[in-house]
């Protein structure tokens, strides 16, 4: 090739090269952080906490989402100490940060630590207050739960349901009924909590009176009544309710099977077991336990 033509071609190629823009520009720090946050969340949701922590510690830029993702992940896993370590290192915290650490303590059963955190922060919303009340009730600290409930200025239906259910589970049915009557609004869970409490205590007349008044019922409502009847030896009422039930589930069948067996009618228990459209581990263990007793 002649020198002039070679020089012209070289010049043209250089000009063309300069005109081409890179097809993949370097991502901005914000995009890198967003992608890292997505990976953090993926690791946390799949239980890969070591991988998440390695990535978090290596991130050149972290935003509030990065910190909260770590706290929330540790909270779901019941790892309050790890969540606290992240929380203490945060340069800035928001409502989600505080809620995440509170959830970590409560899920880990650390109610006293949760209470200290709760008392150290002046502004909590209804969701956090309800979570704290539920934490007290799981530890049977009815007094602490009621004290916080009475202090709440923005109670919602979950607040009332949590307290009604807590009193009912503890056997304090008079107080549960008072709160039920005082509730400004009720949903199916409010009614079911009280029905379940009466049924659990064997007060089937009160339970049935409420059940018949319910504006809406769910499977838990029906199963609670059926369980109460079987526990009181009232299998006729239990079966009649079971047959009228529009939303039977495996729990409903298990309750009837166990009811027959508990009341000494293993033949009907086996028949109901054989008719079940689906069985779970409770179905099998119930039949095995009662059949072994009969054979023994």
């Amino acid at each position: 090739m002649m020198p002039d033509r070679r020089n012209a071609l070289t010049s043209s190629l250089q000009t063309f090269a300069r005109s081409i823009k890179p097809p993949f520009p370097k991502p901005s720090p914000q995009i890198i952080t967003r992608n890292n946050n997505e990976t953090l969340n993926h690791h946390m949701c799949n239980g890969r906490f070591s991988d998440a922590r390695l990535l978090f510690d290596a991130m050149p830029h972290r935003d509030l989402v990065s910190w909260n993702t770590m706290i929330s992940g540790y909270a779901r896993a019941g790892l309050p100490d790890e969540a606290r370590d992240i929380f203490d290192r945060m340069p800035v915290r928001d409502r989600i940060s505080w809620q995440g650490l509170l959830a970590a303590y409560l899920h880990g059963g650390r109610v006293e630590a949760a209470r200290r955190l709760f008392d150290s922060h002046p502004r909590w919303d209804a969701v956090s207050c309800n979570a704290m009340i539920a934490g007290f009730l799981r530890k049977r600290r009815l007094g602490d739960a009621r004290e916080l409930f009475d202090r709440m200025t923005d109670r919602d239906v979950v607040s009332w349901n949590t307290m009604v259910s807590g009193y009912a589970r503890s056997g304090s049915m008079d107080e549960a009924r008072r709160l039920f009557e005082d509730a400004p609004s009720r949903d199916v869970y409010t009614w079911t909590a009280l029905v379940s409490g009466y049924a659990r205590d064997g007060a089937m007349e009160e339970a049935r009176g409420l059940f018949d008044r319910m504006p809406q019922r769910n499977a838990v409502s029906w199963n609670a009544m059926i369980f109460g009847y079987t526990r009181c030896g009232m299998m006729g009422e239990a079966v009649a309710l079971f047959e009228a039930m529009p939303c039977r589930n495996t729990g409903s069948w298990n309750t009837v099977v166990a009811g027959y067996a508990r009341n000494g009618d293993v033949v009907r228990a086996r028949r109901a077991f054989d008719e079940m459209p689906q069985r779970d581990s409770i179905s099998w263990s119930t039949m095995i336990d009662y059949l072994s007793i009969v054979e023994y």
Side-chain angles (χ1 to χ4, degrees):
M1 183 181 294
M2 299 296 293
D4 290 343
R5 293 184 62 188
R6 186 184 297 113
N7 292 339
L9 179 59
T10 302
S11 178
S12 297
L13 289 173
Q14 290 173 344
T15 302
F16 177 71
R18 285 195 298 268
S19 70
I20 297 176
K21 295 182 179 179
F24 301 108
K26 183 179 179 181
S28 67
Q30 292 80 8
I31 292 176
I32 294 173
T33 301
R34 185 185 65 192
N35 292 339
N36 284 335
N37 289 343
E38 292 174 357
T39 305
L40 279 179
N41 187 58
H42 179 76
H43 286 329
M44 282 296 194
C45 289
N46 288 280
R48 296 200 294 268
F49 306 115
S50 297
D51 291 339
R53 188 57 184 264
L54 285 172
L55 173 59
F56 178 81
D57 289 340
M59 286 174 64
H61 303 284
R62 305 184 192 111
D63 59 13
L64 200 51
V65 175
S66 316
W67 294 90
N68 287 340
T69 297
M70 294 296 294
I71 292 175
S72 299
Y74 284 137
R76 289 193 300 269
L79 299 170
D81 292 333
E82 289 81 353
R84 183 74 204 218
D85 176 62
I86 297 292
F87 182 85
D88 287 341
R89 292 169 52 197
M90 290 184 75
V92 179
R93 303 176 185 126
D94 65 359
R95 176 177 55 87
I96 296 174
S97 317
W98 287 89
Q99 288 178 341
L101 184 58
L102 184 70
Y105 281 136
L106 293 174
H107 291 172
R110 305 262 288 273
V111 176
E112 271 307 311
R115 182 175 193 166
R116 287 193 295 271
L117 179 73
F118 192 89
D119 291 342
S120 72
H121 187 57
R123 294 182 300 277
W124 294 97
D125 60 13
V127 173
S128 302
C129 291
N130 293 339
M132 192 72 237
I133 289 172
F136 283 139
L137 291 173
R138 280 194 293 271
K139 295 294 185 179
R140 299 185 178 276
R141 293 169 57 168
L142 282 168
D144 291 327
R146 184 57 185 266
E147 188 269 336
L148 177 54
F149 175 81
D150 288 340
R151 282 197 287 125
M152 287 180 67
T153 58
D154 56 345
R155 299 175 196 141
D156 57 16
V157 68
V158 176
S159 315
W160 291 89
N161 290 352
T162 303
M163 285 303 305
V164 170
S165 179
Y167 277 122
R169 284 198 305 270
S170 72
S172 304
M173 291 307 302
D174 289 342
E175 195 58 38
R177 185 63 182 256
R178 272 193 290 271
L179 277 178
F180 175 86
E181 299 294 347
D182 289 343
S185 63
R186 308 181 189 113
D187 61 13
V188 65
Y189 301 103
T190 326
W191 288 86
T192 299
L194 202 60
V195 168
S196 298
Y198 280 129
R200 196 180 300 113
D201 283 359
M204 295 311 300
E205 186 175 344
E206 290 86 349
R208 186 58 187 259
L210 277 171
F211 181 81
D212 289 342
R213 288 172 48 204
M214 289 181 72
Q216 181 186 2
R217 304 180 186 118
N218 59 16
V220 178
S221 319
W222 289 86
N223 290 345
M225 285 297 302
I226 294 169
F227 171 77
Y229 279 135
T230 64
R231 195 175 184 186
C232 293
M234 303 167 69
M235 284 305 301
E237 290 84 349
V239 172
L241 210 57
F242 175 78
E243 291 177 347
M245 186 176 178
C247 51
R248 294 177 200 156
N249 56 22
T250 305
S252 317
W253 286 91
N254 287 343
T255 302
V256 170
V257 170
Y260 276 131
R262 189 185 302 113
N263 286 283
D265 196 341
V266 179
V267 173
R268 282 195 172 92
R270 179 58 188 266
R271 189 179 303 152
F273 177 82
D274 290 340
E275 292 174 358
M276 290 181 71
Q278 279 187 303
R279 305 183 186 104
D280 59 13
S281 59
I282 297 174
S283 319
W284 288 97
S285 63
T286 298
M287 280 309 303
I288 291 169
D289 288 346
Y290 282 106
L291 286 173
S292 64
I293 292 172
V294 171
E295 290 176 1
Y296 180 79

